[in-house]
Amino acid sequence: MIKTALVVGASGIAGSATARLLGEQGSQVFGLARKPQPQDGVTPVAADLQDPASLDQALSEVRPDTVFLTTWARQATEAENIRVNAAMVRNLLDALRPGGSVRHVALVTGLKHYLGPFEAYGKGVLPQTPFREEQGRLDVDNFYYAQEDEVFAAAARDGFTWSVHRPHTVIGQAVGNTMNMGTTLAAYAVLCRETGRPFRFPGSAAQWNGLTDMTDARMLAQQLVWASTTPAAANEAFNIVNGDVFRWSWMWGRIADWFGPTAAPFDGEPAPLEIQMADDAPVWRVIAEREDLAEPDLGRLASPWHTDADLGRPIEVVTDMSKSRRLGFTAYQPTDDAFFDLFAQLRRDRLIP
């Protein structure tokens, strides 16, 4: 069992699910963020990962045995992504070093390990699908690799074990998150229903017709905790997806049926959400006022740019889970149920009508 955990990015999609699971299992949970949000069972720690002095002060009395790194800061270029996000990991682990309590660090990255960073997303020579952990790194600069290298260096220096976790498009709840397909699609469906617009798939023919998979944040949290407490999983990288595969040509209709708008036939051409939703902020404010929703700012709920990036990929993306399955991680989550659970939660929390 994990006695004391530090969840970095505890208010995000992956971090909040991890903090919730740890609390349910009886761990003492500290949640670090620049502006921590109230969370049941989580002791907030306010600090800026880019400011070593704020970390030293905030963590001076915190003694976690396990650290979960579930956050990153998006920058304008990949060079800046590397500089900033590597420094954030390094600053955190340097601040924890004097306490000498850390025995395991779990880092969340993602399938851009195989697909490349945003500047070279899905381009060039890519590994065959399904992606497997032994396929290694692409010959391109990638901030995920820089984050890993910081963890590896600190582990060698300070004697803790590590694990790396690579989800594919995480389904979960977090307001203000920059990578949030589930809530983005929920908001888009509500707007289509409100305005009478067709619910139009925004992505590519390859995504519409090809196989894909996704990751429920609760599944990711389970694997994070499993790897942190399973000796055979130490110092390994793991893919993490729900365990099923689907085609968006099937899933799109399922989501439309949940919300009620008409699903438009796919005509083979992308219809990016950044364009479709460009003028929807005032409409959302009207809906939010009428329905007494908790968040009237559409920009804090939806991330069309990221959803467009995922659904616009020109290749089929599926992920192999054999590595962790062989070691005993056998959790499974149907992806349509993951979406429906999220939509119901968003409704209970008054984030959608």
Side-chain angles (χ1 to χ4, degrees):
M1 175 183 166
I2 295 169
K3 183 178 179 182
T4 305
L6 174 65
V7 180
V8 183
S11 58
I13 291 177
S16 60
T18 303
R20 188 179 308 112
L21 177 61
L22 289 163
E24 291 170 354
Q25 295 182 349
S27 302
Q28 181 182 21
V29 183
F30 292 90
L32 188 149
R34 279 188 302 171
K35 297 179 180 180
Q37 302 298 312
Q39 294 171 267
D40 291 342
V42 177
T43 301
V45 178
D48 185 346
L49 291 171
Q50 299 183 51
D51 181 354
S54 79
L55 286 167
D56 289 343
Q57 181 177 0
L59 296 172
S60 61
E61 301 299 324
V62 179
R63 298 289 184 271
D65 53 84
T66 310
V67 178
F68 299 92
L69 282 160
T70 71
T71 191
W72 69 291
R74 187 188 183 201
Q75 306 299 312
T77 67
E78 192 59 19
E80 278 298 289
N81 276 331
I82 290 168
R83 183 186 68 81
V84 170
N85 288 282
M88 287 164 55
V89 174
R90 183 169 61 252
N91 292 341
L92 174 78
L93 298 179
D94 284 349
L96 291 170
R97 186 184 189 190
S101 62
V102 177
R103 65 163 191 83
H104 187 86
V105 172
L107 171 68
V108 177
T109 61
L111 292 198
K112 285 189 289 297
H113 181 94
Y114 309 107
L115 287 163
F118 289 117
E119 291 180 7
Y121 198 47
K123 301 174 182 177
V125 178
L126 298 174
Q128 279 192 324
T129 57
F131 295 138
R132 293 180 170 87
E133 295 90 344
E134 63 268 21
Q135 289 168 319
R137 296 179 176 184
L138 299 175
D139 188 21
V140 295
D141 292 334
N142 190 324
F143 83 88
Y144 283 170
Y145 307 160
Q147 288 182 307
E148 288 182 346
D149 288 342
E150 292 294 342
V151 171
F152 300 160
R157 179 192 69 194
D158 298 336
F160 57 76
T161 59
W162 54 265
S163 56
V164 175
H165 304 262
R166 299 169 186 158
H168 180 195
T169 309
V170 180
I171 301 171
Q173 180 181 341
V175 174
N177 191 275
T178 60
M179 300 169 69
N180 195 341
M181 181 187 287
T183 306
T184 299
L185 294 181
Y188 173 57
V190 169
L191 287 161
C192 288
R193 186 179 64 198
E194 176 79 10
T195 61
R197 289 163 19 204
F199 188 58
R200 187 177 178 189
F201 183 69
S204 67
Q207 290 300 302
W208 180 256
N209 295 313
L211 292 172
T212 193
D213 49 30
M214 294 183 72
T215 307
D216 190 312
R218 298 168 297 184
M219 279 282 292
L220 173 56
Q222 289 180 63
Q223 194 194 60
L224 286 165
V225 173
W226 166 81
S228 300
T229 54
T230 302
N235 302 330
E236 297 285 351
F238 297 103
N239 295 331
I240 172 62
V241 287
N242 290 334
D244 62 347
V245 295
F246 63 92
R247 302 181 199 276
W248 277 106
S249 57
W250 174 79
M251 185 69 77
W252 199 248
R254 301 273 289 160
I255 294 174
D257 289 346
W258 201 94
F259 284 98
T262 301
F266 181 60
D267 63 7
E269 294 296 324
L273 291 180
E274 276 202 295
I275 296 174
Q276 291 196 60
M277 300 176 70
D279 299 321
D280 281 339
V283 180
W284 187 263
R285 286 193 176 276
V286 170
I287 297 171
E289 183 176 355
R290 185 187 70 218
E291 304 291 341
D292 191 29
L293 300 183
E295 181 51 73
D297 184 354
L298 180 62
R300 285 180 49 76
L301 293 175
S303 53
W305 69 273
H306 186 263
T307 299
D308 287 340
D310 273 1
L311 296 183
R313 288 184 298 226
I315 58 172
E316 179 178 276
V317 177
V318 287
T319 315
D320 183 72
M321 281 283 290
S322 298
K323 186 176 182 180
S324 59
R325 297 287 192 235
R326 288 189 176 104
L327 293 176
F329 181 76
T330 58
Y332 170 81
Q333 170 65 58
T335 300
D336 53 344
D337 287 347
F339 272 122
F340 301 155
D341 289 350
L342 170 64
F343 299 156
Q345 184 65 49
L346 293 172
R347 186 167 282 173
R348 285 194 297 270
D349 292 345
R350 296 179 22 256
L351 291 169
I352 62 172

